[in-house]
Amino acid sequence: MMAFYGENPPVDEQVRHTLDVTDYTVRLAKLMGLDQRQTDLLTIAALLHDVGCPKARELYGKALPPYQEKFGREIAEAWLTDYAELSADERTWLANVVGYHHHPRQATEMGFRPLFEADTIVNMYEGYYKQGQEQHVYDTLLETDEGKSLFAEMFLKK
């Protein structure tokens, strides 16, 4: 997708990206045996993960990770403030996940590996990583057996 649209994909492509990341996040969470509450929280995080992109594009002309994460965290915090079904800790966690969703170390430390690896898979599919980088992405960004297996099946033909 990026190769064709550059930094500014049409809205329908951004929606498709978000839905694909959400689908893969749920799939990985289930494969990893996460409980329903954690899967539900990861689903919300996946739906919100790129919410800062439009504001980043509006202000900077592109949605580079630092911009989309900054604005995404702020937007997520505001949206989740009155969400009664979530505890204060869960709302904070969700906003922080949106604010760090491109960071592999935080994905492990904060427990959102399924989302990070789902976003990596979808980004590879959409062309955000150059062709020929599949093995490097696999070796450096993926950590879970479930994410590695899915990625390999899709891109490495192992």
Side-chain angles (χ1 to χ4, degrees):
M1 182 174 82
M2 185 173 165
F4 185 76
Y5 296 114
E7 252 316 296
N8 296 302
V11 171
D12 61 327
E13 293 296 330
Q14 184 68 56
V15 170
R16 182 176 311 149
H17 170 85
T18 298
L19 294 176
D20 287 347
V21 170
T22 302
D23 285 344
Y24 283 113
T25 297
V26 171
R27 178 191 279 185
L28 291 172
K30 288 180 178 182
L31 288 170
M32 293 170 68
L34 299 182
D35 67 33
Q36 190 59 52
R37 184 63 176 181
Q38 188 62 27
T39 301
D40 291 345
L41 290 170
L42 284 164
T43 301
I44 295 167
L47 289 167
L48 292 175
H49 82 282
D50 278 345
V51 73
C53 288
K55 187 169 182 179
R57 286 188 189 103
E58 177 186 326
L59 294 175
Y60 298 104
K62 56 180 95 177
L64 294 175
Y67 303 140
Q68 64 173 273
E69 290 173 336
K70 175 188 182 299
F71 298 127
R73 176 186 285 117
E74 293 169 0
I75 293 166
E77 285 173 349
W79 285 359
L80 296 168
T81 298
D82 296 322
Y83 202 88
E85 292 83 0
L86 298 170
S87 71
D89 287 344
E90 289 170 333
R91 289 191 299 271
T92 298
W93 182 83
L94 286 164
N96 284 330
V97 168
V98 172
Y100 288 110
H101 74 271
H102 290 112
H103 299 263
R105 190 184 87 219
Q106 282 79 3
T108 301
E109 291 173 359
M110 294 172 57
F112 65 91
R113 260 284 150 189
L115 167 58
F116 177 83
E117 294 190 8
D119 197 26
T120 301
I121 289 167
V122 174
N123 285 340
M124 176 58 78
Y125 178 78
E126 292 175 343
Y128 283 87
Y129 299 105
K130 295 177 185 174
Q131 283 189 333
Q133 288 189 318
E134 294 86 356
Q135 189 65 51
H136 176 73
V137 169
Y138 177 90
D139 292 338
T140 61
L141 296 179
L142 302 175
E143 184 175 285
T144 69
D145 291 340
E146 297 81 4
K148 285 183 170 194
S149 177
L150 184 57
F151 187 93
E153 180 181 317
M154 293 175 70
F155 303 110
L156 300 178
K157 310 296 185 224
K158 288 186 174 184

